[in-house]
Amino acid sequence: MREWQVKRRERTRQLIELGGLVVKAGLVELADDDRAALYGAFLTVAAKLRGEEREQALVLWKRKGKRAFEAESD
């Protein structure tokens, strides 16, 4: 398989997994599948990660995400 094909498949897999997280978090239903609202929410998160509270936010979100994954696997 050519290198560009491998990279394309890896990118496609990443996009599918990220979309799955959006669904798993319940955001699609909560936003009534409004793509503009979801995009706005993601831009808000991105702005927070560009700010001074970046490290605090990442620690909190990682902890919360790990707990959710663990609860789901139980």
Side-chain angles (χ1 to χ4, degrees):
M1 192 174 297
R2 294 189 170 126
E3 184 179 339
W4 67 268
Q5 289 173 313
V6 171
K7 288 183 179 181
R8 182 175 171 205
R9 284 189 179 177
E10 288 173 356
R11 183 175 185 276
T12 300
R13 180 181 174 103
Q14 179 188 30
L15 293 173
I16 290 168
E17 289 173 351
L18 292 171
L21 290 173
V22 171
V23 172
K24 185 177 270 196
L27 294 174
V28 175
E29 290 109 23
L30 291 170
D32 294 326
D33 199 13
D34 184 332
R35 312 283 165 93
L38 290 170
Y39 187 42
F42 296 142
L43 290 173
T44 301
V45 170
K48 185 162 193 129
L49 290 174
R50 286 187 197 98
E52 294 177 13
E53 299 175 14
R54 172 188 169 81
E55 294 305 318
Q56 293 170 322
L58 282 174
V59 168
L60 174 69
W61 295 339
K62 284 180 186 180
R63 188 179 311 138
K64 194 173 236 181
K66 286 180 183 179
R67 285 184 192 148
F69 278 134
E70 289 170 2
E72 191 177 284
S73 68
D74 290 342

